[in-house]
């Protein structure tokens, strides 16, 4: 199975000036754990995750004053839609993160998470186990 089969095509894109509260509201409304941060000044892509917001709030920072820019991961590992789920899971395990932005030649086309991979693997492996018996 490929990343394109598992990824969420709901890509929330926010700007670096969004506050963490704004980002959290948008992520919560879409029931997603990460937002792509597009900085038009640097032409860069980054990712802001629920964990980034949690770490900021846990550190006592004000989510109405803290911006996505200050908490965005810019050293991002990207996936291609053609990657296998094994390749995506291996990249996540190596990097210690739970989300990958999926890029094609045009830009972000999705986000794949550990949850997405598990959702695909569990039924596929259950079918494989049933066939083995």
């Amino acid at each position: 199975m490929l990343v394109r089969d598992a990824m969420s095509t709901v890509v929330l894109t926010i700007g670096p000036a969004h506050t963490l509260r704004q980002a959290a509201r948008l992520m919560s409304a879409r029931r997603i754990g990460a937002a792509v941060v597009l900085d038009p000044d640097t032409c860069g892509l980054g990712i802001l995750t629920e964990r980034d917001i949690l770490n900021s709030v846990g550190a006592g920072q004000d989510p109405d004053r803290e911006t996505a820019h200050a908490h965005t991961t810019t050293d991002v590992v990207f996936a291609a839609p053609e990657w296998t789920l094994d390749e995506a899971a291996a990249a996540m395990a190596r990097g210690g993160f739970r989300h990958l932005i999926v890029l094609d030649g045009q830009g972000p086309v999705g986000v794949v998470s550990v949850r997405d991979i598990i959702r695909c693997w569990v039924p596929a492996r259950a079918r494989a186990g049933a066939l083995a018996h």
Side-chain angles (χ1 to χ4, degrees), residues 15-56:
H18 276 80
T19 67
L20 293 187
R21 185 177 309 278
Q22 290 170 324
R25 281 189 181 132
L26 292 167
M27 290 163 61
S28 177
R30 288 163 179 79
R31 300 178 50 89
I32 57 176
V36 174
V37 181
L38 177 59
D39 189 341
D41 294 334
T42 65
C43 295
L45 284 178
I47 191 165
L48 178 74
T49 67
E50 56 199 357
R51 184 173 297 185
D52 298 323
I53 295 169
L54 183 67
N55 287 340
S56 174

